[in-house]
Amino acid sequence: MYYTDETIVFLNGEYVKAKDAKVGLYNQTMHYGNGVFEGIRSYETPDGTRIFKAKEHYDRLHYSADKMHISLRYSSEELEQITYRLLELNDLSDAYIRPLVYLGENMSLTPTDEVNVVIMVWEWGKYLGDKMLKVMLSSYQRPNPKACHVQAKVVGHYTNSILATTEAKQKGFDEALLTDINGNVAEGPGANFFFEKDGKLVTAPLGNILSGITRATVFELAQELGVEIEERFFKPEELLNADAAFFCGTAAEVIGIEQFNDYRFPMNWEDTNSYLVQRMYKRRVATNEYKHVYL
Ligand code: PMP
């Protein structure tokens, strides 16, 4: 599903076939989850293939690596150039891009000097599909920000996401919504969350959530649309009075939520400001309206 016999990956300075790439069994990332990664998308635009917000993603990869004491020896600019080359080699335009920084052999609890960088690209439909979602309040909370760096995209953090999504699917929902350590709504397992009330959008502030690049884009789009956004803490009960809601993330893009637990959001999706944001996001990523800083 992710690769064929022909797929090329970037691995530590070389472009090699995915099927020939090897990873050691004793690497620390596999045993303890100490590695960092990104999830990026490229789109076909009238100007050719464009990676959406490559700098922001690769800067976040650096932030994540720094927080985990991992020295990443490629700059954001270099990683961006490598990614464009990799897309070309795989003849891909609309693609999902997965850079992963994984460590060398070490069973002790300190990072290794050996730092490996792999970048994989594949065609991937929207992560949560195209249909409006049914979401449940998770019994799991997002990790305590005093126990780890929640704004870093660390491999091991995703065990929390896997627990939440698996629970939701086992209960017949499409996805989970998690609270923070104080019981406020935080985010989804792999996407940020917004709700709409009386035309205004509300989302959790930074601190207990991943600082989503799509979330930041939603702020930009809402400003252009003249839609107000409030960043504040709120409890799950407040959603029972909301008009609409959505998740947003690079893989999922902007996807509407029709139901939270037993509650159905009352507004017709296409009449909401959330829908306008969804439409504008689609347009923004797939046109040349977004000028990349390096181009
Ligand atoms: N929260 C979590 C936990 C995520 O994994 C993601 C996906 N990276 C997001 C939010 C959305 O972030 P972005 O918009 O940068 O993809």
Side-chain angles (χ1 to χ4, degrees), residues 57 60 142 153 158 187-192 210 212-215 248-250:
H57 281 282
R60 187 171 66 186
R142 289 297 288 160
K153 214 167 154 61
Y158 283 79
E187 61 184 331
N192 291 114
L210 192 81
I213 288 159
T214 319
R215 177 183 181 277
C248 69
T250 300

Side-chain angles (χ1 to χ4, degrees), residues 128 131-135 165 168-169 172-176 258:
L128 294 168
K131 285 202 344 248
M132 298 282 288
L133 303 175
K134 290 182 176 43
V135 167
T165 300
K169 294 220 187 245
F173 290 87
D174 301 307
E175 189 53 297
E258 66 180 6

Side-chain angles (χ1 to χ4, degrees), residues 32-255:
Y32 301 141
N34 187 23
V36 296
F37 70 106
E38 265 306 316
I40 312 175
R41 273 191 191 276
S42 61
Y43 295 88
E44 175 72 44
T45 78
D47 292 341
T49 304
R50 286 288 177 273
I51 303 169
F52 189 64
K53 298 205 170 179
K55 176 175 165 47
E56 286 84 342
H57 281 282
Y58 281 125
D59 284 353
R60 187 171 66 186
L61 189 67
H62 274 274
Y63 168 86
S64 302
D66 285 348
K67 287 292 175 203
M68 297 312 290
H69 312 285
I70 296 171
S71 52
L72 178 54
R73 284 179 275 270
Y74 295 90
S75 69
S76 293
E77 288 88 339
E78 285 167 333
L79 290 167
E80 178 178 359
Q81 279 159 13
I82 290 165
T83 309
Y84 272 112
R85 176 84 187 115
L86 189 63
L87 288 167
E88 247 172 54
L89 289 171
N90 286 285
D91 199 18
L92 281 173
S93 192
D94 282 308
Y96 184 77
I97 300 154
R98 167 56 55 81
L100 169 67
V101 180
Y102 66 93
L103 299 184
E105 297 174 4
N106 188 13
M107 295 300 145
S108 303
L109 298 176
T110 48
T112 60
D113 290 336
E114 181 188 327
V115 175
N116 303 283
V117 177
V118 61
I119 307 179
M120 295 156 270
V121 293
W122 65 88
E123 254 177 286
W124 213 24
K126 287 191 200 166
Y127 175 65
L128 294 168
D130 264 324
K131 285 202 344 248
M132 298 282 288
L133 303 175
K134 290 182 176 43
V135 167
M136 70 166 264
L137 181 63
S138 185
S139 69
Y140 296 97
Q141 294 184 335
R142 289 297 288 160
N144 183 337
K146 289 190 175 149
C148 59
H149 296 281
V150 291
Q151 286 191 200
K153 214 167 154 61
V154 178
V155 173
H157 294 179
Y158 283 79
T159 53
N160 169 260
S161 299
I162 288 171
L163 287 170
T165 300
T166 306
E167 177 189 49
K169 294 220 187 245
Q170 280 174 349
K171 297 203 161 147
F173 290 87
D174 301 307
E175 189 53 297
L177 180 62
L178 293 92
T179 47
D180 65 19
I181 51 160
N182 301 312
N184 297 305
V185 171
E187 61 184 331
N192 291 114
F193 175 83
F194 287 75
F195 77 85
E196 178 171 337
K197 178 67 182 171
D198 297 331
K200 198 192 293 177
L201 299 180
V202 182
T203 195
L206 298 183
N208 301 313
I209 59 172
L210 192 81
S211 177
I213 288 159
T214 319
R215 177 183 181 277
T217 309
V218 167
F219 275 71
E220 290 162 20
L221 298 175
Q223 195 177 24
E224 288 171 37
L225 287 163
V227 171
E228 200 183 321
I229 300 190
E230 249 183 54
E231 255 180 309
R232 63 171 169 83
F233 294 113
F234 55 93
K235 299 284 184 221
E237 296 77 61
E238 194 174 337
L239 297 180
L240 306 180
N241 194 27
D243 297 330
F246 63 87
F247 277 134
C248 69
T250 300
E253 302 187 335
V254 176
I255 181 69

